[in-house]
C-alpha cells in the first residue's frame, strides 16, 4: 500500500470490485480503531467494512508485551 492507508485501501477495494474490506482492531472497540483508517473506510469505502476483534488470548499477549516494553495500548 502506498500513501495514506485509508484512501489506498479504498482505492484498492474499488479496483478489485471488492464486496467487503476486513480489517483488524487492536483494541476491539470500533471507536478506538487504528488512527483514523477504519473511520475513513466506514465513510468512504465502496464496500462493506468488517472490523475483526482480537481474541482474548491475543489481547492478553499484546498487553503483556506492552508492559514489558512500557508501551501504551
Amino acid at each position: 500500500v502506498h500513501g495514506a492507508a485509508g484512501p489506498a485501501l479504498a482505492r484498492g477495494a474499488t479496483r478489485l470490485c471488492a464486496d467487503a474490506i476486513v480489517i483488524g482492531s487492536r483494541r476491539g472497540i470500533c471507536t478506538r480503531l487504528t488512527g483514523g483508517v477504519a473511520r475513513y473506510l466506514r465513510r468512504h469505502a465502496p464496500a462493506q467494512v468488517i472490523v475483526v476483534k482480537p481474541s482474548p488470548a491475543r489481547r492478553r499477549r499484546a498487553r503483556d508485551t506492552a508492559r514489558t516494553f512500557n508501551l501504551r495500548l
Side-chain angles (χ1 to χ4, degrees):
V1 174
H2 296 284
L9 289 168
R11 283 192 307 273
T14 299
R15 263 182 277 167
L16 294 171
C17 298
D19 294 323
I21 300 170
V22 180
I23 59 174
S25 167
R26 288 191 282 185
R27 295 184 183 194
I29 301 170
C30 196
T31 57
R32 291 185 176 182
L33 292 172
T34 57
V37 175
R39 185 178 17 248
Y40 180 89
L41 289 174
R42 284 190 313 209
R43 293 182 182 156
H44 302 294
Q48 179 181 6
V49 177
I50 301 168
V51 179
V52 180
K53 297 191 310 185
S55 69
R58 173 69 181 107
R59 284 195 300 264
R60 279 192 300 277
R61 283 193 307 269
R63 188 173 49 242
D64 293 344
T65 301
R67 284 183 187 147
T68 300
F69 294 103
N70 292 323
L71 302 173
R72 276 179 105 183
L73 289 180

